Amino acid sequence: MVSVPLRRLVLTGALALVALAAAAGSAQADVTASSITSPANTEFFYDHNAASSTLFTVTGTATTTNSGTNAVDIVCYDGGVDRFTLATAVPLTNGAFSADIPTSAVDTAGLGGWTCVLRAVPTGDVTDYVPGSSNSFGGPTIGVTEKDAYTTGGQIHDYDYYLSDFGGYLDFESAGSCGLAYGQLYTTGTLALSSAGFVCLGALYDPDLKQSPANSNFGGGIKVDNVEALDSASAGDSLPGYQGIALSESFSNGALTIHDNEPILVCVPSYATCTSYQSSGVELDRTWQTGADGRVVTQTDVFRSVDGHAHALTALEDMQINYINPPGASFLFPGGSGWQDYATNALVSVPSGAGTVYFKTDSATPDAGDAINPQGSISYSSPPSGPVDFSWSDQLGTANPEFVFPYNRSVPAGGSTTIRFGYSEDYALSAVQSHAAAVLASFAPAVTISAPANGATVATPSVTVSGTVTDPAGIASVKVNGVTATVGAGGTFTAAVPLTLGANMITAVATDADGITGQKQVSVTYKAPPVVVTGAASHVTGSSAKIAGTVNPLGQATTYAVQYGKTTAYASHTAAVSAGAGSAAAAVSRTLTGLKAKTTYHYRVMATNASGTSYGADRSFHTGKPAPKGLGAKASPQHASSFPYAYTVKGKLSLPGGVSAKQACTGKITIKVERGAKTIFTTHASIGKKCTWKASVTLSDKSKVPGKGTLKITPSFGGNKVLAGLPAKPLTVRYG
């Protein structure tokens, strides 16, 4: 089964009658050849609802057997049986002709939505000079795109955009009608039309319009806060509270962009008994964009909160394609095992992330194509919230296969949520795959870097990167070389990015709400004094500290030192030592001595090379209590031969200068006895007024000291209010 739009069937019959009438009323003129010089191969756009105006002017020359007395008809020929007469009996003046073609003539001829070859032919000539035929009437290929909006009471309730590009024909309707309602391919040269590929894609159907109303997998096309809702096309435009569609478009070089703003309405008092409408608090902003000469379409649905409240949204993006019966259509889903058809109510789960569903309108079509039946793709930026549901199957042999992508989304208060699709059709599967890859790439956020400029040279160890990022789905994050950027109004972002010596590649990566990434890169060269980082202070005692840091000499001979002092004026510094001449950050350290106990010191690392001196950030540490000068200890006997084994351990704490015995001769000594790696005994001793101490160690558990062996005895001073702790040198004794 190959479906053909009713509009095209009607026009075909009407134009055939026009051609017969022309043949009956005029004799063929003696123009033997012609050439149209203007327009060139061009696509045109006009609004059917607007006042008539000149769409284009046809100029050219003709060769006649009776120069100056003949006339031509301006006729456009498509790749089938249709001919569109735009002007008749256009006179020749010195072999030249000119005719303005108004939109009213385009309407009368039925040319809107067609691609054809424009020719100047002898007046009354009814020959079908089809594209690609051999004849002497040369002219350009033109495509005419038509907009037709349907209004009631001054409000648009539905529309059609009939786009006819050089590669394909497309028909767009509102979301509640059929979405991307139709699509066919043109054959290059002959403009022969394929069978239909697209039929209804991206529709948000009212449940009463679904092909299979008995299907209970889903409800209506849209629900807001779990209430059945309707877009402008699905709602009755005669009921109170109805709101129509706001529509706008742009057209350039055959590429059409449609902006369709549709209020989402709910019935009052209920969907079952609808007497009026009120806003659901959500509106749909849908954007269609075409490309690849009519072979590719993208659909962006932005559901926006318009009442300042958050809303739960269910959107059923309904898809239909044409099929040839027999043998029927065939589909290849992401994660699937191969091409197959599906029965009514079949559910197909797809993996996470963006993906593409491929289809053949005729499952017998070879991958290389047959120049008759299109192959196509449906790409999505985010997977549906549940399995894709086949609400209708062509296995029934009565209608096109239809399936639903269900989405459950949250619309934030004052914000929006976005669902994106892309569609393509072509004869060869490889071409479709190329289109689909481009569509998936188009889902990526658009990233620009405004500063630094590409190729810039900077003299600082870091650079502030700024730019913009845009994406219909919203930006989740921006990272520049792994650094999380601050994103502001309008998608502007900034990030401070560290640099390394020489050429640096700066990569800004934006991730959108669908998890899709886009990036932009610039190259920056860093040439500067050493890069210095002040590290942490370690091994801090009452009189010393080890200062760490890193120095990148940036390829030049470099020295470094540590400045330190009780304030950030830094009264002292270590001697300068070499940091080498490398091109990478190298760890450095210096030990500060002679410090005052219990004092806060500021410090920073400094480094100097031929390009200048750089300073690390200021940091600080606090010295601890002074350590004892020493902890003397001895044990006797050196060898205990009889069990239980008893030892006497004693010693003296030596005080640092400036500390008196009265102040510091307090605290405890912990004596730990180890056999191998295991501690077998612990005791304590108090420090006397003269800083001496003494303890007895008796080992009476034979299981802990079996046979003969050696023991390690380690006394440790635990510190006191004046002094820091200090262990003594371990003592070795024998037993048994």
Side-chain angles (χ1 to χ4, degrees), residues 543-557:
S543 60
S544 65
K546 184 177 181 180
I547 305 302
T550 62
V551 174
N552 186 338
L554 299 183
Q556 302 179 78

Side-chain angles (χ1 to χ4, degrees), residues 55 112 223 228 269 292 636 646 722:
L55 185 61
K223 286 185 179 180
E228 296 279 6
S636 62
V722 178

